[in-house]
Amino acid sequence: MTPSGHSHGRGLLLLAMVTSLATVVTSQNSSWTWADCQPSSAPSPAPSPPPPSSSTNNTFWSNVVALLYALPAAAAPTGFASLSRGNGTDRAVVRGLCRGDTTPANCATYLRNAALGIRMRCNSSRRAGIWYDDGSTKTYPAPMFCFVSYADTNASTGYEDTYRQELQNGDVVPDKDAFEGAYNRLMSYLAVRVVNGSGSSSSPVQMFATGSAEYDPEASNRTMHGLLQCMRDRTPAECNKCLQDSVRALTTCCYGHRGGAVLSYNCYLRMEVYPFYNLSLDGPPLLLPAIAGERRGKKLAAGVILAVVIPVGTVLAALVITGVFLYKRKVNRKKTPPDNYSSIYEDDFGCIEPEQLNLAVLRAATNNFSEQNKLGEGGFGEVFKGTLHDGEDIAVKRLSHNSSQGFQELKNELVLAAKLKHRNLVQLIGVSLKEEKLVIYEYMPNRSLDTFLSDPVRRQQLDWNRRFAIIYGIARGLLYLHEESCLKVIHRDLKPSNVLLDADMNPKISDFGIARAFAGDQSRDITRRPVGTLGYMSPEYAYWGHVSTKSDIFSFGVIVLEMVTGQRNNSACNETSDSVSVLSHVWDKWRAGSMVDVVDPSLGSHYPESEVMNCIEIGLLCVQENPADRPDASAVVLMLDSPSSMNNDRRAPSRPAFVFSSGLTDESDRPSRPAARGSDGVLLIRDKQSLTSTVSENEVSISELLPR
């Protein structure tokens, strides 16, 4: 066979493997599957990966896909496999581990689904991991059924050794100290069995153990259940260190909570007050009679004390409650209460412990918050650049004493920033809350996306490849917030000034001060006072305060169209009319079938027209007036990954919200997809018949908003 024939054969093999992976369909789309896509500049030597749209066209990624395809068959019989392929910088290593109580058949299914998930979510990373849940349970945190990772070496890096993702049950036990004592004893007992290889009493699975302990003899569910497991290619010492760190991590994060899990690259921990694994594998119960007797004694003494205190205390409590009520009513007349934040924040704030930095250190780092170090300001206060003594650059957000947004917003941002970790979110480094309210983030040397879009000179630095990578990165960040993080988070103020760019122009979403976190199955909420920025707020949020993931999708769609056109949505698109917004301009061109006319002239002709047209269509889909018509974040990422699907699988966009132009008023508001053609006459988007809906022009004005 000729060399070209060999290449053709390898291409067909790769295509077959990709197709096989892509045909895996999960029974449910679990929102608890957790993925960690490490930045491309991982510690191990590796060339810079290509853009997301072409990340599969390299030998390393081809090796990863081949190993992911082979992993289920290799790992299912024993529950674990470590596979490698290639040499040098093209070498890929894939590991897969099923939970110790998983059957081989289920293990193969879980691994196939996890392989598909990590391929779809992390296809531009050199190192990544995914903790897969099949969505069959409704409890939180949901079980981890398998773990899959890929890298360019089998050696564990410092990042992977220290990576921990804590997930907690929201309920708290009455006696936290007794509960934590039982937890520590149970975990120590299980860790010894895992490290020594004894496993469970009736299971031959290596580095895996389950067991139970009684924590409250008088509680209805008085027994806690625990599960520990290590990756089988780690030494006993590495396994023990990983387990001990995870045991401490859950205590630090979630003291007194009735359950939780800790995800790590080299081990897994979970504890609940109900059985969540195959009890036939359970080890002997770890009973704690001394603790039980002590608790009964405490409760008896407490009963005697209460019998004496209650009569007197009732009278005093009534007086105190009356006084507090009168005082609060007087205070509430003077100020408007803050927006109704979720109780998640009240429960979780005490568990957030970012590094506490000394004010003197921060003053020295920022040259005493000098004007020369100032990066910008907002409703919260100012942001300064700083340099720590070890040379690390930081950004310090300083809450103003006169800030109208204040502590509640800072508290909200701290809780979310500490819980959310993703390559497309700005990373929280630490806080200083004693003398001043300061929050420290990683420094973004290229400032915000807004500084490029609003400056014609700087905008020329954004060629199409960079623009597409920024659009893709923002979409991945939204996918994490809406579907992949432990909380469903609605940003509520997504705009170019809240998208920061690192040294490699990677986008990172910032500013979670007014974000909303939803728990459980909640998908939407209503706020009394919409806050955000005109031009990026969806109509249902601006008019009625309806908050949902589709609110963020609308904002994302505006940003996409701004990236393509090089124009800001709150500025006129031409000199002859000051009422034609970007949405109106693009919509008119879309209906006329001349979308090439909207592309930023600074791009010249140096862009792939099909990819640009795909982004225009995605942007229009995201800014439709009806929230139900807008795609969700996972669909957006899929459309960006698969531009060829736009000719066959999508309904044409309907009329965007806030379109005030009068052109083409005799046509339907949801037209057939225009036959857009490129500059060379090639058909880019075919005609496609779709449903129509009549929407009148909206003349409502907004007067009660708080733009940031």
Side-chain angles (χ1 to χ4, degrees):
M1 184 180 290
T2 64
S4 59
H6 283 291
S7 176
H8 181 67
R10 287 195 299 269
L12 291 176
L13 176 61
L14 177 59
L15 178 61
M17 291 185 290
V18 171
T19 303
S20 176
L21 284 175
T23 57
V24 177
V25 179
T26 57
S27 58
Q28 298 187 44
N29 182 19
S30 172
S31 58
W32 307 130
T33 291
W34 187 274
D36 176 47
C37 308
Q38 297 182 36
S40 298
S41 54
S44 57
S48 299
S53 59
S54 60
S55 60
T56 57
N57 296 330
N58 62 76
T59 306
F60 169 76
W61 185 250
S62 298
N63 290 335
V64 170
V65 172
L67 293 176
L68 290 174
Y69 175 76
L71 181 64
T78 62
F80 172 78
S82 178
L83 309 175
S84 65
R85 175 176 171 145
N87 298 298
T89 57
D90 294 330
R91 182 172 185 258
V93 177
V94 169
R95 300 189 300 165
L97 176 72
C98 288
R99 215 173 66 183
D101 59 342
T102 307
T103 64
N106 286 340
C107 180
T109 300
Y110 298 152
L111 289 172
R112 279 194 296 269
N113 292 340
L116 174 62
I118 198 171
R119 178 181 172 271
M120 295 296 293
R121 303 181 192 202
C122 304
N123 62 2
S124 61
S125 300
R126 295 279 296 188
R127 304 175 74 90
I130 187 170
W131 294 260
Y132 172 76
D133 165 63
D134 71 347
S136 60
T137 58
K138 301 302 181 184
T139 56
Y140 179 78
M144 186 280 294
F145 288 103
C146 77
F147 169 73
V148 173
S149 69
Y150 71 79
D152 43 21
T153 176
N154 194 41
S156 183
T157 66
Y159 172 89
E160 292 161 349
D161 288 338
T162 59
Y163 180 90
R164 296 290 182 280
Q165 180 57 50
E166 303 89 0
L167 310 174
Q168 68 176 17
N169 184 313
D171 297 328
V172 179
V173 297
D175 191 338
K176 295 183 179 181
D177 292 339
F179 185 83
E180 290 298 324
Y183 162 77
N184 287 325
R185 278 182 277 271
L186 174 61
M187 291 300 145
S188 297
Y189 166 68
L190 295 179
V192 170
R193 290 167 53 199
V194 172
V195 174
N196 292 340
S198 59
S200 299
S201 58
S202 57
S203 170
V205 179
Q206 299 175 6
M207 289 190 165
F208 169 77
T210 60
S212 58
E214 186 178 276
Y215 69 90
D216 186 350
E218 299 181 12
S220 57
N221 53 349
R222 62 188 184 182
T223 303
M224 67 170 61
H225 300 267
L227 181 152
L228 294 181
Q229 185 169 14
C230 280
M231 294 295 291
R232 295 185 209 167
D233 57 349
R234 296 305 174 216
T235 66
E238 291 172 330
C239 172
N240 183 62
K241 184 180 185 307
C242 183
L243 292 176
Q244 298 305 324
D245 290 345
S246 295
V247 170
R248 287 191 293 270
L250 190 61
T251 301
T252 302
C253 159
C254 317
Y255 191 85
H257 284 257
R258 298 168 71 93
V262 180
L263 310 179
S264 174
Y265 275 82
N266 293 321
C267 65
Y268 172 67
L269 176 154
R270 190 178 182 206
M271 178 272 297
E272 297 290 351
V273 295
Y274 56 84
F276 59 90
Y277 50 81
N278 184 355
L279 289 176
S280 65
L281 302 179
D282 207 359
L286 180 63
L287 301 179
L288 305 170
I291 299 298
E294 180 183 345
R295 285 180 54 79
R296 282 196 292 270
K298 287 182 179 179
K299 291 186 176 181
L300 179 61
V304 175
I305 295 173
L306 290 176
V308 177
V309 170
I310 285 177
V312 178
T314 302
V315 177
L316 293 177
L319 294 175
V320 171
I321 291 172
T322 302
V324 170
F325 173 76
L326 294 175
Y327 172 77
K328 284 192 172 183
R329 187 172 67 176
K330 180 179 180 181
V331 170
N332 288 339
R333 289 174 180 172
K334 298 181 179 181
K335 67 177 185 178
T336 302
D339 206 358
N340 184 27
Y341 283 81
S342 168
S343 61
I344 295 173
Y345 306 142
E346 297 295 333
D347 294 339
D348 291 351
F349 187 62
C351 297
I352 302 304
E353 296 185 3
E355 183 180 354
Q356 297 287 332
L357 297 179
N358 185 280
L359 177 60
V361 172
L362 295 176
R363 286 189 180 277
T366 59
N367 193 20
N368 197 24
F369 303 106
S370 67
E371 193 69 21
Q372 292 79 6
N373 286 46
K374 185 175 175 180
L375 297 174
E377 61 183 303
F380 55 85
E382 301 169 312
V383 179
F384 297 87
K385 178 186 177 182
T387 304
L388 298 176
H389 65 277
D390 60 357
E392 180 183 7
D393 289 332
I394 57 174
V396 182
K397 179 181 286 190
R398 187 187 197 188
L399 185 68
S400 169
H401 296 294
N402 301 321
S403 170
S404 60
Q405 293 162 307
F407 181 72
Q408 184 65 42
E409 209 167 287
L410 174 65
K411 174 181 175 180
N412 186 66
E413 182 161 3
L414 280 179
V415 170
L416 292 179
K419 284 182 172 292
L420 303 173
K421 300 182 187 301
H422 190 268
R423 62 178 303 180
N424 295 117
L425 304 184
V426 173
Q427 180 183 349
L428 174 69
I429 294 178
V431 297
S432 177
L433 302 176
K434 293 184 178 179
E435 300 175 58
E436 288 196 60
K437 303 296 187 295
L438 303 169
V439 187
I440 301 89
Y441 289 96
E442 59 177 324
Y443 173 63
M444 298 286 104
N446 281 310
R447 312 285 286 273
S448 71
L449 178 59
D450 180 68
T451 62
F452 284 86
L453 291 178
S454 59
D455 186 338
V457 177
R458 296 198 75 192
R459 194 168 69 245
Q460 294 181 10
Q461 300 176 29
L462 296 177
D463 59 19
W464 177 249
N465 287 336
R466 283 181 173 174
R467 296 190 195 207
F468 181 82
I470 291 171
I471 291 171
Y472 187 85
I474 299 172
R476 291 296 299 269
L478 278 183
L479 175 61
Y480 171 80
L481 292 175
H482 292 175
E483 301 180 25
E484 296 177 352
S485 67
C486 56
L487 298 173
K488 180 183 293 184
V489 178
I490 315 300
H491 189 278
R492 292 210 295 171
D493 197 19
L494 185 64
K495 57 184 178 181
S497 60
N498 283 337
V499 176
L500 305 184
L501 303 171
D502 66 12
D504 297 322
M505 298 295 287
N506 296 312
K508 295 177 183 283
I509 300 172
S510 68
D511 196 348
F512 291 87
I514 62 172
R516 280 291 184 92
F518 291 166
D521 297 329
Q522 184 182 9
S523 61
R524 64 188 296 268
D525 195 8
I526 299 178
T527 179
R528 297 193 307 270
R529 187 178 60 181
V531 289
T533 304
L534 294 176
Y536 302 93
M537 300 171 69
S538 64
E540 72 277 5
Y541 178 48
Y543 299 158
W544 304 292
H546 292 182
V547 180
S548 70
T549 55
K550 298 303 180 73
S551 310
D552 283 351
I553 291 297
F554 181 91
S555 305
F556 171 77
V558 175
I559 294 175
V560 171
L561 297 180
E562 288 183 332
M563 293 291 286
V564 172
T565 63
Q567 299 289 333
R568 300 297 305 277
N569 190 43
N570 49 13
S571 63
C573 282
N574 57 63
E575 298 178 356
T576 60
S577 173
D578 58 2
S579 63
V580 180
S581 67
V582 166
L583 302 190
S584 301
H585 178 60
V586 175
W587 177 242
D588 286 345
K589 295 298 183 182
W590 163 267
R591 297 173 74 182
S594 55
M595 288 186 297
V596 177
D597 296 342
V598 307
V599 179
D600 186 357
S602 67
L603 290 174
S605 58
H606 307 293
Y607 58 86
E609 292 182 343
S610 60
E611 196 169 71
V612 172
M613 297 306 111
N614 183 41
C615 287
I616 293 175
E617 183 171 1
I618 291 171
L620 288 173
L621 288 169
C622 291
V623 298
Q624 295 178 102
E625 195 154 20
N626 185 357
D629 290 339
R630 300 172 203 154
D632 55 27
S634 59
V636 168
V637 171
L638 183 60
M639 286 188 287
L640 289 170
D641 273 327
S642 307
S644 60
S645 68
M646 69 183 183
N647 287 339
N648 305 312
D649 303 330
R650 305 179 199 168
R651 185 173 64 172
S654 62
R655 175 184 182 275
F658 308 121
V659 170
F660 304 109
S661 62
S662 57
L664 303 173
T665 55
D666 58 329
E667 297 184 31
S668 166
D669 282 320
R670 188 193 290 274
S672 301
R673 178 175 279 106
R677 296 181 181 273
S679 58
D680 55 359
V682 175
L683 184 66
L684 298 175
I685 301 177
R686 297 198 300 265
D687 292 335
K688 184 172 181 180
Q689 191 66 27
S690 61
L691 299 175
T692 62
S693 61
T694 303
V695 183
S696 62
E697 296 287 346
N698 198 327
E699 300 294 340
V700 176
S701 62
I702 303 173
S703 59
E704 294 294 327
L705 303 179
L706 296 178
R708 289 164 57 82

